[in-house]
Amino acid sequence: MDISNETSPVMGFILLGLSAHPKLEKTFFVLILLMYLVILLGNGILILVTILDSHLHTPMYFFLGNLSFLDICYTTSSVPLILDSFLTPRKTISFSACAVQMFLSFAMGATECVLLSMMAFDRYVAICNPLRYPVVMSKAVYVPMAAGSWAAGITNSIVQTSLAMRLPFCGDNVINHFTCEILAVLKLACADISINVISMVVANVIFLAMPVLFIFISYVFILATILRIPSAEGRKKAFSTCSAHLTVVVVFYGTILFMYGKPKSKDPLGADKQDLADKLISLFYGVVTPMLNPIIYSLRNKDVKAAVKNMVAQKHLTE
């Protein structure tokens, strides 16, 4: 179904955001801005150290660099728009800009799901088959793995975004969200969205359920291998190599499950409060996880901490 002036007079959308709570907007503007700056700084430093430090030229840190770049792209696709909405009385976005923003956020989210499963496989090989690790995780293998993650996420986003934006929007153009979140946009369509629902269910199975299952199975084997290590020091060292990734996985998927798995309130007053809570949870999910990733990896990884210290020391020497 093509978009035309007869079937789709809507040329843009109004983002509701926190319009009903103007007092919160200024507070959240400062808070989200600070968190965004931390995201840019933390992930930017991680990307730099993984490129500049030769000791970090390994599959694990190559994936970590990709994850940091992905987090920067993901937040940049939505946070500037959110910050602008906090300061602008009329929060509008054009049809094409909405499509671009939806595509970018969807692509980054799907890519991260696949990339986290690739990182789990890397940890599985490193701990369960350490002697074969250099062969199994050679550059000829891990680079295509990362590229495949990006390709899969982008392909899925093209499909979902094109299906959503081809729908006619001939009624209300107010999106009850901070950004062009796909579920909020689909609610405005004045046509059958069953194809969209089916495609999203299939995508959720491929990009959420399957990676979670793969990560779970990988860590079952990892845990079994670690428990067979005779010395306590050996077990601690083996677990430390995957603890940061496991923490990131728990934060990433735990937040998703919390967002979409909690029960909905049937009381109108409770529904209004829950609507505000859902918006704030979604907002913080988009910035907290990317902000925590570099913190988790820098605090729980000696190699990254040493690389950052070396980079800072070299900068002082050059000055």
Side-chain angles (χ1 to χ4, degrees), residues 180-193:
C180 289
E181 200 268 336
I182 191 165
L183 295 178
V185 172
L186 289 178
K187 289 179 182 178
L188 306 182
C190 49
D192 182 21
I193 61 169

mmCIF file with all atom_site columns, all heavy atoms in Angstrom, residues 180-193:
data_model
loop_
_atom_site.group_PDB
_atom_site.id
_atom_site.type_symbol
_atom_site.label_atom_id
_atom_site.label_alt_id
_atom_site.label_comp_id
_atom_site.label_asym_id
_atom_site.label_entity_id
_atom_site.label_seq_id
_atom_site.pdbx_PDB_ins_code
_atom_site.Cartn_x
_atom_site.Cartn_y
_atom_site.Cartn_z
_atom_site.occupancy
_atom_site.B_iso_or_equiv
_atom_site.pdbx_formal_charge
_atom_site.auth_seq_id
_atom_site.auth_comp_id
_atom_site.auth_asym_id
_atom_site.auth_atom_id
_atom_site.pdbx_PDB_model_num
ATOM 1   N N   . CYS A 1 180 ? 10.146 8.142  17.435 1.00 0.00 ? 180 CYS A N   1
ATOM 2   C CA  . CYS A 1 180 ? 9.280  7.372  16.551 1.00 0.00 ? 180 CYS A CA  1
ATOM 3   C C   . CYS A 1 180 ? 9.430  5.882  16.860 1.00 0.00 ? 180 CYS A C   1
ATOM 4   O O   . CYS A 1 180 ? 9.909  5.105  16.019 1.00 0.00 ? 180 CYS A O   1
ATOM 5   C CB  . CYS A 1 180 ? 9.617  7.677  15.100 1.00 0.00 ? 180 CYS A CB  1
ATOM 6   S SG  . CYS A 1 180 ? 9.113  9.321  14.591 1.00 0.00 ? 180 CYS A SG  1
ATOM 7   N N   . GLU A 1 181 ? 9.036  5.496  18.048 1.00 0.00 ? 181 GLU A N   1
ATOM 8   C CA  . GLU A 1 181 ? 9.066  4.097  18.463 1.00 0.00 ? 181 GLU A CA  1
ATOM 9   C C   . GLU A 1 181 ? 8.032  3.335  17.638 1.00 0.00 ? 181 GLU A C   1
ATOM 10  O O   . GLU A 1 181 ? 6.878  3.771  17.518 1.00 0.00 ? 181 GLU A O   1
ATOM 11  C CB  . GLU A 1 181 ? 8.763  4.002  19.953 1.00 0.00 ? 181 GLU A CB  1
ATOM 12  C CG  . GLU A 1 181 ? 9.228  2.718  20.600 1.00 0.00 ? 181 GLU A CG  1
ATOM 13  C CD  . GLU A 1 181 ? 8.145  1.662  20.594 1.00 0.00 ? 181 GLU A CD  1
ATOM 14  O OE1 . GLU A 1 181 ? 6.960  2.026  20.519 1.00 0.00 ? 181 GLU A OE1 1
ATOM 15  O OE2 . GLU A 1 181 ? 8.492  0.469  20.671 1.00 0.00 ? 181 GLU A OE2 1
ATOM 16  N N   . ILE A 1 182 ? 8.423  2.201  17.067 1.00 0.00 ? 182 ILE A N   1
ATOM 17  C CA  . ILE A 1 182 ? 7.608  1.544  16.045 1.00 0.00 ? 182 ILE A CA  1
ATOM 18  C C   . ILE A 1 182 ? 6.218  1.145  16.545 1.00 0.00 ? 182 ILE A C   1
ATOM 19  O O   . ILE A 1 182 ? 5.221  1.311  15.826 1.00 0.00 ? 182 ILE A O   1
ATOM 20  C CB  . ILE A 1 182 ? 8.355  0.331  15.446 1.00 0.00 ? 182 ILE A CB  1
ATOM 21  C CG1 . ILE A 1 182 ? 7.625  -0.183 14.196 1.00 0.00 ? 182 ILE A CG1 1
ATOM 22  C CG2 . ILE A 1 182 ? 8.555  -0.763 16.486 1.00 0.00 ? 182 ILE A CG2 1
ATOM 23  C CD1 . ILE A 1 182 ? 8.454  -1.113 13.348 1.00 0.00 ? 182 ILE A CD1 1
ATOM 24  N N   . LEU A 1 183 ? 6.110  0.655  17.775 1.00 0.00 ? 183 LEU A N   1
ATOM 25  C CA  . LEU A 1 183 ? 4.800  0.254  18.298 1.00 0.00 ? 183 LEU A CA  1
ATOM 26  C C   . LEU A 1 183 ? 3.879  1.458  18.464 1.00 0.00 ? 183 LEU A C   1
ATOM 27  O O   . LEU A 1 183 ? 2.675  1.365  18.194 1.00 0.00 ? 183 LEU A O   1
ATOM 28  C CB  . LEU A 1 183 ? 4.963  -0.481 19.626 1.00 0.00 ? 183 LEU A CB  1
ATOM 29  C CG  . LEU A 1 183 ? 5.696  -1.829 19.578 1.00 0.00 ? 183 LEU A CG  1
ATOM 30  C CD1 . LEU A 1 183 ? 5.824  -2.413 20.977 1.00 0.00 ? 183 LEU A CD1 1
ATOM 31  C CD2 . LEU A 1 183 ? 4.978  -2.805 18.662 1.00 0.00 ? 183 LEU A CD2 1
ATOM 32  N N   . ALA A 1 184 ? 4.435  2.593  18.898 1.00 0.00 ? 184 ALA A N   1
ATOM 33  C CA  . ALA A 1 184 ? 3.644  3.811  19.061 1.00 0.00 ? 184 ALA A CA  1
ATOM 34  C C   . ALA A 1 184 ? 3.171  4.340  17.704 1.00 0.00 ? 184 ALA A C   1
ATOM 35  O O   . ALA A 1 184 ? 2.059  4.852  17.581 1.00 0.00 ? 184 ALA A O   1
ATOM 36  C CB  . ALA A 1 184 ? 4.464  4.875  19.788 1.00 0.00 ? 184 ALA A CB  1
ATOM 37  N N   . VAL A 1 185 ? 4.015  4.200  16.683 1.00 0.00 ? 185 VAL A N   1
ATOM 38  C CA  . VAL A 1 185 ? 3.654  4.662  15.332 1.00 0.00 ? 185 VAL A CA  1
ATOM 39  C C   . VAL A 1 185 ? 2.578  3.765  14.727 1.00 0.00 ? 185 VAL A C   1
ATOM 40  O O   . VAL A 1 185 ? 1.627  4.246  14.103 1.00 0.00 ? 185 VAL A O   1
ATOM 41  C CB  . VAL A 1 185 ? 4.903  4.698  14.422 1.00 0.00 ? 185 VAL A CB  1
ATOM 42  C CG1 . VAL A 1 185 ? 4.506  4.989  12.974 1.00 0.00 ? 185 VAL A CG1 1
ATOM 43  C CG2 . VAL A 1 185 ? 5.897  5.745  14.908 1.00 0.00 ? 185 VAL A CG2 1
ATOM 44  N N   . LEU A 1 186 ? 2.701  2.455  14.911 1.00 0.00 ? 186 LEU A N   1
ATOM 45  C CA  . LEU A 1 186 ? 1.723  1.519  14.341 1.00 0.00 ? 186 LEU A CA  1
ATOM 46  C C   . LEU A 1 186 ? 0.313  1.757  14.887 1.00 0.00 ? 186 LEU A C   1
ATOM 47  O O   . LEU A 1 186 ? -0.676 1.498  14.199 1.00 0.00 ? 186 LEU A O   1
ATOM 48  C CB  . LEU A 1 186 ? 2.146  0.078  14.622 1.00 0.00 ? 186 LEU A CB  1
ATOM 49  C CG  . LEU A 1 186 ? 3.369  -0.448 13.852 1.00 0.00 ? 186 LEU A CG  1
ATOM 50  C CD1 . LEU A 1 186 ? 3.696  -1.871 14.273 1.00 0.00 ? 186 LEU A CD1 1
ATOM 51  C CD2 . LEU A 1 186 ? 3.140  -0.378 12.344 1.00 0.00 ? 186 LEU A CD2 1
ATOM 52  N N   . LYS A 1 187 ? 0.205  2.262  16.103 1.00 0.00 ? 187 LYS A N   1
ATOM 53  C CA  . LYS A 1 187 ? -1.105 2.545  16.700 1.00 0.00 ? 187 LYS A CA  1
ATOM 54  C C   . LYS A 1 187 ? -1.859 3.633  15.935 1.00 0.00 ? 187 LYS A C   1
ATOM 55  O O   . LYS A 1 187 ? -3.081 3.737  16.031 1.00 0.00 ? 187 LYS A O   1
ATOM 56  C CB  . LYS A 1 187 ? -0.941 2.976  18.164 1.00 0.00 ? 187 LYS A CB  1
ATOM 57  C CG  . LYS A 1 187 ? -0.516 1.855  19.098 1.00 0.00 ? 187 LYS A CG  1
ATOM 58  C CD  . LYS A 1 187 ? -0.349 2.364  20.519 1.00 0.00 ? 187 LYS A CD  1
ATOM 59  C CE  . LYS A 1 187 ? 0.116  1.249  21.461 1.00 0.00 ? 187 LYS A CE  1
ATOM 60  N NZ  . LYS A 1 187 ? 0.336  1.759  22.834 1.00 0.00 ? 187 LYS A NZ  1
ATOM 61  N N   . LEU A 1 188 ? -1.125 4.462  15.171 1.00 0.00 ? 188 LEU A N   1
ATOM 62  C CA  . LEU A 1 188 ? -1.738 5.574  14.447 1.00 0.00 ? 188 LEU A CA  1
ATOM 63  C C   . LEU A 1 188 ? -2.193 5.192  13.042 1.00 0.00 ? 188 LEU A C   1
ATOM 64  O O   . LEU A 1 188 ? -2.863 5.978  12.371 1.00 0.00 ? 188 LEU A O   1
ATOM 65  C CB  . LEU A 1 188 ? -0.740 6.747  14.345 1.00 0.00 ? 188 LEU A CB  1
ATOM 66  C CG  . LEU A 1 188 ? -0.133 7.249  15.663 1.00 0.00 ? 188 LEU A CG  1
ATOM 67  C CD1 . LEU A 1 188 ? 0.794  8.424  15.392 1.00 0.00 ? 188 LEU A CD1 1
ATOM 68  C CD2 . LEU A 1 188 ? -1.231 7.648  16.640 1.00 0.00 ? 188 LEU A CD2 1
ATOM 69  N N   . ALA A 1 189 ? -1.823 4.023  12.585 1.00 0.00 ? 189 ALA A N   1
ATOM 70  C CA  . ALA A 1 189 ? -2.156 3.606  11.216 1.00 0.00 ? 189 ALA A CA  1
ATOM 71  C C   . ALA A 1 189 ? -3.648 3.317  11.084 1.00 0.00 ? 189 ALA A C   1
ATOM 72  O O   . ALA A 1 189 ? -4.260 2.733  11.976 1.00 0.00 ? 189 ALA A O   1
ATOM 73  C CB  . ALA A 1 189 ? -1.352 2.378  10.833 1.00 0.00 ? 189 ALA A CB  1
ATOM 74  N N   . CYS A 1 190 ? -4.234 3.749  9.959  1.00 0.00 ? 190 CYS A N   1
ATOM 75  C CA  . CYS A 1 190 ? -5.655 3.478  9.724  1.00 0.00 ? 190 CYS A CA  1
ATOM 76  C C   . CYS A 1 190 ? -5.780 2.375  8.664  1.00 0.00 ? 190 CYS A C   1
ATOM 77  O O   . CYS A 1 190 ? -6.405 2.560  7.620  1.00 0.00 ? 190 CYS A O   1
ATOM 78  C CB  . CYS A 1 190 ? -6.386 4.742  9.296  1.00 0.00 ? 190 CYS A CB  1
ATOM 79  S SG  . CYS A 1 190 ? -5.589 5.669  7.961  1.00 0.00 ? 190 CYS A SG  1
ATOM 80  N N   . ALA A 1 191 ? -5.117 1.262  8.932  1.00 0.00 ? 191 ALA A N   1
ATOM 81  C CA  . ALA A 1 191 ? -5.148 0.106  8.032  1.00 0.00 ? 191 ALA A CA  1
ATOM 82  C C   . ALA A 1 191 ? -4.800 -1.135 8.843  1.00 0.00 ? 191 ALA A C   1
ATOM 83  O O   . ALA A 1 191 ? -4.373 -1.046 10.001 1.00 0.00 ? 191 ALA A O   1
ATOM 84  C CB  . ALA A 1 191 ? -4.165 0.295  6.874  1.00 0.00 ? 191 ALA A CB  1
ATOM 85  N N   . ASP A 1 192 ? -4.963 -2.276 8.229  1.00 0.00 ? 192 ASP A N   1
ATOM 86  C CA  . ASP A 1 192 ? -4.649 -3.544 8.880  1.00 0.00 ? 192 ASP A CA  1
ATOM 87  C C   . ASP A 1 192 ? -3.137 -3.647 9.087  1.00 0.00 ? 192 ASP A C   1
ATOM 88  O O   . ASP A 1 192 ? -2.357 -3.487 8.143  1.00 0.00 ? 192 ASP A O   1
ATOM 89  C CB  . ASP A 1 192 ? -5.143 -4.691 8.002  1.00 0.00 ? 192 ASP A CB  1
ATOM 90  C CG  . ASP A 1 192 ? -4.890 -6.048 8.642  1.00 0.00 ? 192 ASP A CG  1
ATOM 91  O OD1 . ASP A 1 192 ? -4.716 -6.093 9.880  1.00 0.00 ? 192 ASP A OD1 1
ATOM 92  O OD2 . ASP A 1 192 ? -4.840 -7.060 7.916  1.00 0.00 ? 192 ASP A OD2 1
ATOM 93  N N   . ILE A 1 193 ? -2.718 -3.915 10.332 1.00 0.00 ? 193 ILE A N   1
ATOM 94  C CA  . ILE A 1 193 ? -1.282 -4.008 10.639 1.00 0.00 ? 193 ILE A CA  1
ATOM 95  C C   . ILE A 1 193 ? -0.869 -5.440 10.965 1.00 0.00 ? 193 ILE A C   1
ATOM 96  O O   . ILE A 1 193 ? 0.175  -5.659 11.580 1.00 0.00 ? 193 ILE A O   1
ATOM 97  C CB  . ILE A 1 193 ? -0.894 -3.064 11.798 1.00 0.00 ? 193 ILE A CB  1
ATOM 98  C CG1 . ILE A 1 193 ? -1.646 -3.446 13.082 1.00 0.00 ? 193 ILE A CG1 1
ATOM 99  C CG2 . ILE A 1 193 ? -1.139 -1.609 11.445 1.00 0.00 ? 193 ILE A CG2 1
ATOM 100 C CD1 . ILE A 1 193 ? -1.124 -2.748 14.332 1.00 0.00 ? 193 ILE A CD1 1
#
